[in-house]
Amino acid sequence: MSTIPCATQQLLDLGFSEEQTTKIHSLNPRKGDVQQKLSCVRELLLLGMDNEKTLRMLEASPEIFKVSSKQIRDRVDNLRKLGLGEGTLQVSLSRCPSILTMPSTRILAAAQCLKQRCQFSTQQVLKILHISPETLTQDPDYIEEVFQYVYFRMGGTHKDILTSGLFLTSLDEIKVRHQFLERLGRFLPPNKRGECPTSNPKIKDIVNLSENNFLSSVACSSPEEFHTFQKIVAREEAEAREEDNGETSGLDTDDEGEDSVQEESDSDDEDTNRNIPDKPINK
């Protein structure tokens, strides 16, 4: 006897409609392990997800079917250890179900980056995990790079970053919007104390708005002008890369030993400079 009718009945017994059951069976059809699917569904229901949310999570991230029941429980336990309690845990998982497909070490590394490298407080990290849990799926080095750009180059505060959904937007998009506003004279750089004029647009308006709304209400410019600027930036970056590659290829390899010593010295200087912030980190 086929296991599919049996699995269908079990899903119906769990309260899924026939339409929902069909959708679940259609997800990740090449996996083949029907009981594995059922186990994942049960784990999500045990977390407090209703049938509709469970289906939406699986549709958004069918890779969950490849995660064992034990792995799901362990990863949920780690999220609880980060401070996500009942209610907020379910909201975060509903927003970003792919968290369950990632190793706990990766999730913990992202959380530690927010605390240690970006110096968010525990409560601030919790808020980020609640409103933009996708942050936990990012590489820690990328999180730090985005934070440092907005904090130092744009004069953003921790509060600005918390309310902006910063880590949901690519750094390239943030940079091009910021630089576009600078060239238009609509965004002035921070002073030596890291403070920006109050006339500057809010970080969340630069980061969160759709392109059309950003151009109409923040940049007060046309799509044609913005797209031309994007092409200019892309060309400048390509030229800079070519110049860097040309300089690298022209190095004299005969003095490799001497270069190695100099490189080590430069590395020490770079590390020292990196630890000297342009402005104090005030939360």
Side-chain angles (χ1 to χ4, degrees):
M1 181 182 293
S2 172
T3 59
I4 296 298
C6 178
T8 298
Q9 186 59 53
Q10 290 183 60
L11 289 171
L12 293 172
D13 292 342
L14 290 171
F16 290 95
S17 66
E18 291 186 5
E19 181 181 359
Q20 290 173 328
T21 298
T22 300
K23 287 181 178 180
I24 291 174
H25 282 316
S26 69
L27 295 172
N28 204 20
R30 295 183 180 179
K31 179 62 181 175
D33 190 343
V34 177
Q35 290 306 314
Q36 169 73 4
K37 284 187 177 183
L38 289 171
S39 296
C40 290
V41 170
R42 290 193 183 97
E43 288 298 331
L44 296 180
L45 293 174
L46 288 172
L47 284 175
M49 302 294 178
D50 60 29
N51 296 58
E52 188 62 36
K53 287 181 180 178
T54 296
L55 177 58
R56 285 203 298 267
M57 288 178 65
L58 293 170
E59 287 178 321
S61 184
E63 294 297 307
I64 292 176
F65 282 132
K66 298 180 180 179
V67 183
S68 70
S69 298
K70 184 180 184 305
Q71 286 176 318
I72 291 177
R73 290 193 295 270
D74 289 345
R75 291 169 185 180
V76 168
D77 285 343
N78 279 316
L79 292 173
R80 289 193 173 106
K81 289 176 182 177
L82 290 175
L84 289 175
E86 297 307 310
T88 55
L89 173 66
Q90 285 75 12
V91 170
S92 295
L93 289 175
S94 295
R95 286 178 182 270
C96 185
S98 62
I99 289 179
L100 293 176
T101 69
M102 306 191 68
S104 296
T105 51
R106 173 77 177 271
I107 300 298
L108 293 174
Q112 285 299 105
C113 176
L114 291 170
K115 288 182 180 180
Q116 296 178 358
R117 299 195 215 172
C118 304
Q119 297 187 20
F120 286 101
S121 69
T122 299
Q123 288 303 314
Q124 288 172 332
V125 171
L126 277 177
K127 187 169 183 179
I128 292 174
L129 302 189
H130 184 217
I131 63 178
S132 54
E134 296 89 344
T135 305
L136 291 179
T137 67
Q138 302 281 7
D139 180 80
D141 290 337
Y142 178 76
I143 293 174
E144 182 181 21
E145 185 180 6
V146 174
F147 171 82
Q148 289 191 349
Y149 184 87
V150 173
Y151 192 84
F152 294 117
R153 286 280 285 108
M154 299 176 67
T157 65
H158 284 78
K159 183 178 179 181
D160 293 332
I161 293 171
L162 281 174
T163 58
S164 68
L166 174 68
F167 301 109
L168 303 182
T169 307
S170 74
L171 180 57
D172 288 341
E173 181 67 19
I174 295 170
K175 283 182 176 180
V176 76
R177 289 189 179 193
H178 169 230
Q179 293 167 15
F180 184 58
L181 292 174
E182 280 189 321
R183 296 200 187 184
L184 290 174
R186 298 187 179 278
F187 194 101
L188 300 178
N191 58 27
K192 292 181 179 179
R193 295 190 300 273
E195 300 167 344
C196 283
T198 56
S199 59
N200 276 358
K202 295 181 178 179
I203 301 296
K204 66 178 181 180
D205 292 334
I206 299 174
V207 171
N208 262 343
L209 294 178
S210 66
E211 182 176 299
N212 287 337
N213 289 337
F214 165 74
L215 291 173
S216 62
S217 63
V218 180
C220 300
S221 185
S222 67
E224 292 76 18
E225 188 175 1
F226 183 57
H227 295 158
T228 298
F229 177 75
Q230 287 177 308
K231 292 177 182 177
I232 293 173
V233 171
R235 185 174 67 244
E236 289 175 349
E237 291 178 347
E239 290 173 352
R241 284 194 298 269
E242 288 178 4
E243 184 176 340
D244 289 342
N245 291 336
E247 291 177 355
T248 302
S249 62
L251 291 176
D252 186 359
T253 57
D254 292 335
D255 297 327
E256 184 176 353
E258 182 179 343
D259 290 345
S260 177
V261 173
Q262 182 63 41
E263 182 179 342
E264 183 176 348
S265 174
D266 291 344
S267 177
D268 292 341
D269 291 342
E270 185 178 16
D271 289 341
T272 301
N273 291 335
R274 185 177 181 183
N275 291 326
I276 302 176
D278 295 329
K279 69 169 184 174
I281 294 186
N282 299 317
K283 298 179 183 178

